[in-house]
Amino acid sequence: MIDFTDQVVVVTGAGRGLGRVYALEFARRGASVVVNDVGGSMGGTGVDASVAAAVVDEITAAGGTAVASHDSVDTPEGGAAIVATAVDAFGRLDAVVSNAGIFTAIPFDELTPDDWRRMLRVHLDGAFYLAQPAYRVMKSQGYGRFVFIASSAGLFGQHLEAHYAAAKAGIVGLTNVIALEGAEHGILANTVLPFGLSRMVTETLPDPSVLEQNGFFQAIQPELVAPIVVYLASRDCQLSHHNFSACAGRFARVFVGLGEGWLGERDSAPTADDVAAHLSEITSTTPYSVPGSIYEEVFAVTERLGVGG
């Protein structure tokens, strides 16, 4: 059994839905858990301290250890305060599950700058505000695990979610760099793209009866996402710089692949006409590679050209 005894885990957005399930599972496995949640609405308004407190009560009633945090991730001070809660209460920080978020559905041509910024502030800025102070603690320990909750909306697209998708795609980019820079310090970073029945589903469906009629919604219970989140946050995990989809009990790697493409002759000056002529090679997805960094892509091209990098 993967064990978290003597480890400290921060879970943001842990008062409801998927975050609550993660927090309960970490505690069941022996972790001391910081249950962070402002207790706001799905759209990001309001506060309710009882939301996080209720999850802490669940954990302690079952014999576990947890403290509540009501700070918001959407400011540098809030992110620092969440990390400080873990260190002050338990003396260290082993894993962070960056799960806090909001959700609204708005057509692209109706999005306002405020809609756009509010979404990025909570998801993308919030991930940074939380991760940086946590990274510093982990670096000093020589150990840490980050699990950032991204979304298939960001990598593959979703109607009415330009702001949400952009924020979630940004989290993937943030995770990639934390994984690269953290490697020498024993810090691993991965993302999970979850499908789970939560307020994001129940509060955005125009007809709630669909929940009972649609088998897919019945199949995406939030408990089915927790296994991969828990694994990636554990000492057993040695993977980093990866993305994983979790949907209805199916777990799969999600990756950005790079096709071999078409390479013009060295010292030539390819034109748009050349692109058109070689489009089938340029758009082909086979063969492909998954570069571990931007450098690997550059080195591969310079090798094909026969020039030094």
Side-chain angles (χ1 to χ4, degrees):
M1 176 176 170
I2 292 176
D3 184 51
F4 283 84
T5 300
D6 298 325
Q7 295 182 56
V8 180
V9 182
V10 164
V11 183
T12 62
R16 303 183 178 99
L18 291 165
R20 171 182 166 274
V21 172
Y22 306 153
L24 293 174
E25 183 63 9
F26 283 120
R28 189 182 74 82
R29 291 174 178 269
S32 297
V33 183
V34 176
V35 177
N36 168 260
D37 205 302
V38 298
S41 70
M42 195 68 259
T45 60
V47 295
D48 184 352
S50 69
V51 172
V55 178
V56 170
D57 289 345
E58 275 191 85
I59 290 172
T60 55
T65 303
V67 295
S69 162
H70 309 294
D71 297 287
S72 175
V73 298
D74 71 356
T75 67
E77 296 78 14
I82 296 166
V83 173
T85 296
V87 175
D88 292 346
F90 304 117
R92 61 181 292 113
L93 176 56
D94 296 277
V96 167
V97 178
S98 183
N99 172 74
I102 60 175
F103 189 80
T104 56
I106 306 172
F108 178 66
D109 59 348
E110 296 177 16
L111 266 176
T112 68
D114 284 346
D115 295 326
W116 177 264
R117 282 304 323 156
R118 185 183 305 111
M119 189 65 69
L120 267 67
R121 189 173 67 244
V122 174
H123 286 275
L124 184 54
D125 295 353
F128 166 69
Y129 294 148
L130 173 68
Q132 190 176 60
Y135 182 96
R136 290 169 177 156
V137 172
M138 292 175 180
K139 183 177 177 180
S140 70
Q141 297 171 165
Y143 175 85
R145 300 286 186 268
F146 283 101
V147 183
F148 291 93
I149 304 303
S151 173
S152 291
L155 273 73
F156 306 127
Q158 181 177 358
H159 287 85
L160 310 181
E161 298 300 336
H163 51 340
Y164 179 77
K168 289 301 193 182
I171 287 173
V172 173
L174 173 66
T175 306
N176 289 341
V177 176
I178 291 175
L180 292 176
E181 295 189 20
E184 64 181 295
H185 306 295
I187 299 170
L188 309 184
N190 297 284
T191 74
V192 172
L193 290 60
F195 290 81
L197 191 61
S198 68
R199 291 189 300 166
M200 285 179 57
V201 176
T202 60
E203 293 186 12
T204 56
L205 285 174
D207 181 5
S209 67
V210 173
L211 289 174
E212 299 176 1
Q213 300 166 2
N214 190 307
F216 175 71
F217 291 133
Q218 297 300 313
I220 55 170
Q221 295 305 310
E223 290 79 9
L224 296 176
V225 177
I228 196 155
V229 172
V230 170
Y231 173 75
L232 293 173
S234 73
R235 292 184 181 274
D236 293 62
C237 176
Q238 297 302 311
L239 298 171
S240 194
H241 203 186
H242 283 48
N243 312 293
F244 295 96
S245 172
C247 180
R250 189 274 284 127
F251 307 100
R253 184 178 179 186
V254 178
F255 58 90
V256 177
L258 177 66
E260 185 175 77
W262 170 74
L263 178 64
E265 294 292 331
R266 184 175 172 181
D267 298 324
S268 66
T271 66
D273 306 282
D274 292 322
V275 170
H278 295 276
L279 199 60
S280 61
E281 297 167 72
I282 293 170
T283 59
S284 176
T285 56
T286 56
Y288 71 85
S289 62
V290 183
S293 67
I294 188 174
Y295 319 111
E296 289 188 11
E297 178 180 3
V298 171
F299 295 156
V301 174
T302 56
E303 183 178 354
R304 288 174 68 184
L305 286 172
V307 299

